[in-house]
Amino acid sequence: MNSPRKLITLDEFTIQETRQFPQATGELSSLLRDIGLACKIINKQVLKAGLVDILGKHGATNIQGEEQMKLDIYANDMLISVLNNSADCAGIASEENDDFVPFTDEFSMNSKYVVLFDPLDGSSNIDVNAPIGTIFSIYKRISPLGMPCTAEDFLQPGNKLMAAGYVIYGSSTMMVYATKVSANGFTLEPSIGEFCLSHPNIKCPEKGKIYSINQGNSCKYDDGMKAFLNYCMENNKEDGRPYSLRYIGSMVADLHRTLIKGGIFMYPADRSNAKGKLRLQYECNPMSFLIEAAGGLGSFGEGRILDIEPTELHQRTPIYIGSKNLVNKALEFVSPKVLAN
Ligand code: AHG
């Protein structure tokens, strides 16, 4: 019998994907559902952010005498709580925590996966109602089952990721995630409270018309980077017009646009930050995994982001990410020596 509806929920989709792999146990699907659940609860709170003056400012005490929590702390606590309750997560590492957190109950210690996340990326945008997001990544642990997970489980390169993605809290709320098979987007249908498949098999356009960077920092960039910015500002596109600059200052929002419309997003090294600003394990690896699953490219200037061997949980890296052609063009300017080799 034909299904009377066209909607495919996140759960249905991940279960259908799992069926392609007879050895799969369904744990990865459950974990994605758990992350989706945490993000739906976070979304509810984000939607109320504009009402803080009415409901009470963060840090202040509300009418019931409870202290209002900062949204990024709320998001962090929610993800930890949901993943701790899940039977499929051995431990987490968060941009908000100094160290990773192993879960030590019997079920968690026997779980195959660890999860890393930036609970609320772009949180400085909350006050101006611009999109923000949660970024997540999932690795299969290396440490033996039956004991608490260890640091080495979280310090794996991006090329070992099993799944990664983000939830964007914007004009609609979307979860976009990739496995090694494909990248897919799910829009939250508020009336049924489910993420529904809306962007199947996303492909990042090979070319793009938009560059995205905090150009205010350009006085601190090296000559190669300055030359690439000049290239973007000149008439270099096929239609004879300069590239457009778009920069929200929320990586999830800037990357979401780059994924769908094409273009390049950059946070390079500069005179004050030799490694750039963005975090390898919480931001750059998951986004590079996703973009590459969609046919794009993520580079740190001298190679793939996904091939960096992490040494610290909170390490930073420069990033050039987006449409393959435009990232390769940027690399011609920023790492000519590497390209010549
Ligand atoms: P935060 O979560 O502290 O607001 O940081 C946001 C991150 C990232 O999402 C964004 O691309 C970048 O920092 C913006 O940095 P600049 O303000 O330096 O451009």
Side-chain angles (χ1 to χ4, degrees), residues 1 4 17 54 64 66 104 125 144 165 167 182 185 222 235-236 240 248 273 281 291 294 313:
M1 195 175 82
E17 264 212 330
I54 300 163
Q64 286 92 25
E66 302 156 331
T104 51
N125 280 306
V167 172
S182 59
D222 64 20
N235 293 343
N236 286 307
I248 297 169
N273 304 295
Q281 290 302 69
I291 282 277
L313 263 183

Side-chain angles (χ1 to χ4, degrees), residues 181-216:
V181 179
S182 59
N184 296 279
F186 303 80
T187 302
L188 184 64
E189 217 299 20
S191 66
I192 57 169
E194 293 279 1
F195 285 108
C196 297
L197 183 64
S198 52
H199 296 61
N201 200 15
I202 301 174
K203 295 289 172 212
C204 178
E206 267 196 28
K207 299 175 185 172
K209 301 176 176 181
I210 299 170
Y211 72 108
S212 186
I213 186 169
N214 186 343
Q215 201 156 341

Side-chain angles (χ1 to χ4, degrees), residues 120-124 214 217 247 249-252 265 267 277-278 283:
L120 212 58
D121 182 73
S123 49
S124 55
N214 186 343
N217 288 332
Y247 189 70
S250 165
M251 191 192 196
V252 173
F265 170 86
Y267 210 109
K277 173 183 180 186
L278 302 180
E283 292 163 322

